[in-house]
Amino acid sequence: DKIWNLSGKRPSRSANQIKILDINYSGEHVESKLTRLREKMKKVGTDKIILSAIDDICWTFNLRGTDIDFNPSFFAYAVIGLKEEDENVWIFVQNAKEQEKILKSQDNDTYGTFNFIEYSEAIENLAQLTITSNDTVWFDSSLNFALATQIEKITKKSFITDNSEAQVLKLTKNKTEMAGMFSANVKASV
């Protein structure tokens, strides 16, 4: 931060429109992925899971973006609740209100119950907005120190793994994903 403060020209973060990845490419609906995540959460005994790796968030929610050059992703954090009253999902993205409006207009059945919150609020408010002192929270070791510290101030019950469960789930490819990989390899080899 000192370097940027000296020049006064810290580059602004990209905040482009997020797009829904069609089921013809993902091969699995968001609801199915959330159900599989929640089943694993029940097995390990957690109330909330935090996703901080952008590729995990893109895969879980069948969303893509262009915030990062040469990478179909966007800046985000996500929190998924287990309990009935917590079935809402919190997604922290840039231009949250605009993104929410666009995604819900395209697929309200999937994204209608999600809470979209400004990405800049994640470091300050993610834990306060989504976690209670009674929650057991699951996150992986890639979660940044600021968020991990914030979570541990609210609840001492955390479950930390080396890899996120979304990362583990996406290791097993469905037929659509395998066909897409095959097609990409054929195109790349010609």
Side-chain angles (χ1 to χ4, degrees):
D1 282 347
K2 287 182 181 179
I3 292 171
W4 299 121
N5 290 335
L6 291 175
S7 69
K9 297 179 182 176
R10 185 176 191 153
S12 61
R13 214 179 263 269
S14 295
N16 300 318
Q17 182 180 337
I18 297 171
K19 297 179 177 153
I20 298 171
L21 182 67
D22 192 270
I23 191 70
N24 294 325
Y25 298 105
S26 67
E28 184 177 9
H29 290 282
V30 174
E31 296 87 352
S32 171
K33 293 175 183 182
L34 291 176
T35 298
R36 292 196 298 149
L37 276 170
R38 287 182 172 128
E39 285 170 1
K40 188 65 175 190
M41 290 168 67
K42 285 178 191 173
K43 285 182 184 175
V44 298
T46 60
D47 302 300
K48 304 270 172 50
I49 187 168
I50 297 177
L51 301 179
S52 59
I54 55 178
D55 57 315
D56 291 348
I57 296 166
C58 290
W59 178 84
T60 301
F61 300 109
N62 291 343
L63 297 172
R64 298 297 183 267
T66 57
D67 287 353
I68 301 160
D69 291 338
F70 311 108
N71 192 332
S73 57
F74 53 94
F75 296 108
Y77 291 101
V79 180
I80 301 166
L82 171 67
K83 298 176 185 172
E84 287 285 323
E85 64 270 13
D86 291 337
E87 282 195 0
N88 281 342
V89 172
W90 297 266
I91 302 178
F92 292 79
V93 293
Q94 296 185 95
N95 296 330
K97 293 299 174 201
E98 182 182 323
Q99 303 288 11
E100 178 177 25
K101 188 171 138 186
I102 292 167
L103 293 173
K104 287 182 178 182
S105 72
Q106 293 175 4
D107 187 352
N108 193 54
D109 290 342
T110 301
Y111 304 101
T113 61
F114 293 6
N115 296 301
F116 290 84
I117 302 168
E118 203 54 52
Y119 181 82
S120 60
E121 291 187 34
I123 298 297
E124 296 292 323
N125 298 317
L126 183 141
Q128 290 86 349
L129 293 171
T130 64
I131 297 167
T132 69
S133 60
N134 295 324
D135 287 336
T136 300
V137 181
W138 183 2
F139 54 90
D140 67 271
S141 59
S142 71
L143 185 68
N144 66 50
F145 181 77
L147 283 176
T149 303
Q150 188 187 123
I151 291 162
E152 290 180 357
K153 285 180 183 175
I154 293 176
T155 180
K156 300 295 182 207
K157 299 181 276 184
S158 58
F159 180 72
I160 306 169
T161 55
D162 287 337
N163 300 307
S164 79
E165 186 59 22
Q167 197 173 41
V168 173
L169 290 176
K170 70 182 176 182
L171 287 173
T172 305
K173 304 296 182 201
N174 62 46
K175 289 180 182 180
T176 304
E177 291 169 321
M178 287 190 286
M181 289 171 45
F182 179 78
S183 175
N185 283 323
V186 168
K187 286 179 185 175
S189 67
V190 175

